[in-house]
């Protein structure tokens, strides 16, 4: 009921470990994986797989605004007005979403799962009110951190 967007972003990243045998080749590979053209190859492959299953293609947000827009412009096919509006909203929400700080932690996955399983999903399913659900998730995450 408020104004503006409320969201967060996060994701995975490629890295080159210290002592890698060929860091220059690894860097070239990582750069290749993150070109708009490579993202479009992946999007088209995912679209073909989804179509084979009789399912619609839903674009993957990549962290690259130009790759995300290319998926929307070149790969996505509208199929239901309300859903199409939601898909068109993705880039706008991502543009206004801060990166989640838990992604900086070595326990980031565990913390993310706790946030989602204990806080967000129960609130979205209306099993719990949002504030107590997030307070419970916060305490569960703190308990996980303390156990490390």
């Amino acid at each position: 009921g408020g104004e503006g967007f409320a969201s967060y972003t996060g994701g995975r990243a490629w890295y080159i470990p210290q002592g890698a045998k060929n860091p220059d080749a690894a860097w070239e590979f990582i750069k290749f994986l993150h070109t708009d053209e490579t993202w479009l190859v992946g999007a088209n492959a995912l679209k073909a797989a989804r179509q084979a299953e009789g399912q619609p293609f839903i674009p993957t947000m990549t962290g690259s605004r130009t790759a995300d827009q290319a998926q929307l412009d070149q790969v996505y096919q509208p199929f239901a007005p309300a859903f199409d509006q939601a898909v068109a909203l993705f880039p706008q929400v991502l543009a206004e979403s801060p990166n989640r700080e838990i992604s900086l932690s070595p326990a980031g996955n565990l913390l993310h799962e706790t946030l989602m399983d204990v806080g967000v999903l129960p609130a979205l399913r209306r099993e719990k009110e949002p504030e107590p659900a997030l307070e419970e998730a916060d305490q569960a995450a703190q308990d996980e951190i303390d156990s490390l």
Side-chain angles (χ1 to χ4, degrees):
E3 294 182 27
F5 296 111
S7 186
Y8 64 89
T9 59
R12 307 228 179 332
W14 290 95
Y15 64 94
I16 303 169
Q18 183 175 350
K21 290 182 183 179
N22 195 338
D24 292 333
W27 177 238
E28 289 304 316
F29 179 69
I30 290 169
K31 288 192 306 186
F32 165 77
L33 287 176
H34 291 285
T35 66
D36 290 359
E37 294 78 18
T38 303
W39 281 114
L40 286 173
V41 168
N44 280 304
L46 178 58
K47 179 180 177 181
R50 299 288 293 164
Q51 286 177 330
E53 297 169 351
Q55 300 293 320
F57 166 72
I58 302 167
T60 302
M61 298 296 99
T62 68
S64 164
R65 289 184 177 148
T66 56
D68 293 347
Q69 194 61 52
Q71 285 187 72
L72 293 173
D73 295 342
Q74 299 174 36
V75 184
Y76 182 71
Q77 293 177 322
F79 65 92
F83 199 88
D84 300 337
Q85 288 174 343
V87 169
L89 191 61
F90 284 171
Q92 295 172 39
V93 171
L94 289 174
E96 306 228 4
S97 301
N99 193 12
R100 58 190 164 105
E101 292 299 320
I102 63 172
S103 64
L104 302 176
S105 166
N109 251 5
L110 179 63
L111 297 173
H112 176 72
E113 288 173 10
T114 300
L115 172 64
M116 295 304 291
D117 295 344
V118 179
V120 174
L121 293 176
L124 290 174
R125 291 189 296 248
R126 298 196 169 145
E127 298 166 357
K128 297 177 182 175
E129 289 296 314
E131 187 172 347
L134 291 175
E135 287 171 356
E136 186 178 333
D138 184 49
Q139 185 58 55
Q142 188 61 55
D143 292 346
E144 292 288 351
I145 291 168
D146 293 343
S147 73
L148 298 175

